[in-house]
Structure formats: C-alpha cells, structure tokens
Amino acid sequence: MEASRRTIITSAGAVGTVGLISACGTDDAGSRSSESGNGSSESTAGGATIPASDVPVGSGTVIDETYVVTQPKEGEFYAFSSVCTHQGCQVRTVTEDKITCPCHSSQFSTTTGEVLGGPATEPLPKYEVSESGGDLTISGK
C-alpha cells in the first residue's frame, strides 16, 4: 500500500516535534552548568563550584547568573547574589572595590556586598566561599 501525502506530512511533523521536545530537556543529572571565564562552573544543590583561576585578582566573575564571586586581593574570595537588590538586574562589572549594576548604576562592596551608591538600598546577599585544591565552592542559594 502506498502512503498518502497527508500521512507522510503528519508523520514528519510528529517526528520533528519529538526531536524538538527532546532538545529542550536537561542532562541526566537534571542540572545546568555554564561556561565561566576560561573554565567551567558546576552547579550543585544550593551552591556552585568553580576553579579559583576563573576569578581574576582585582575583579570578579558572575557564575550561572546566580552568584558574583570577587577576588579583590590575591587569595581573598567573596561571593554574593548577582541579582541587584534595586530592580533585579544582573550585575556585570566588578572592579577591586565595587560591583556595579548596569541598569541604574547601583554599586556594592566587593568584600561585604554593602551598598556604596544607590539607587539600591539593600546589600547583595552574601554566601560562603571555601577553597580546596584550586577550586572554590559557593554555599547557599
């Protein structure tokens, strides 16, 4: 029996839909990780682990759009929420002494998360950072 044009088109659409749905899934662990700097970060339940070398001295880096990790001085690491407390924008710019939100220029301390300049009035939430074997582990979410 020869397949009709309608059957072929319907079958192709079903296969395409299944492929598209599969592409939107997660990996076996069900978690996401993203590239950060020259290495990669690994998200864990309530935290993340990254190579310490991914955090430049005198600056910092945003991890998984969740944390901003700073290293104002060699070997001194701090972690905060990367979401500005003013209107929820993602902070992006980190210097030795301040984290700046690009939306309205709120500025936060790289060591305490305290507001250095508004319009934000609340500090960035702070997280624990531990270093072991060249990796940093950020605890909390």
Side-chain angles (χ1 to χ4, degrees), residues 97-113:
D97 60 346
K98 63 186 165 201
I99 301 164
T100 304
C101 178
C103 294
H104 300 104
S105 300
S106 290
Q107 297 178 342
F108 304 90
S109 167
T110 57
T111 58
T112 66

Side-chain angles (χ1 to χ4, degrees), residues 63-117:
I63 308 299
D64 293 335
E65 295 186 5
T66 303
Y67 307 103
V68 58
V69 181
T70 65
Q71 186 179 192
K73 295 181 179 162
E74 180 85 37
E76 243 180 61
F77 297 97
Y78 302 91
F80 307 95
S81 169
S82 65
V83 178
C84 180
T85 57
H86 175 236
Q87 289 188 340
C89 291
Q90 187 76 48
V91 299
R92 293 277 180 226
T93 307
V94 182
T95 63
E96 189 173 330
D97 60 346
K98 63 186 165 201
I99 301 164
T100 304
C101 178
C103 294
H104 300 104
S105 300
S106 290
Q107 297 178 342
F108 304 90
S109 167
T110 57
T111 58
T112 66
E114 294 296 318
V115 177
L116 299 176

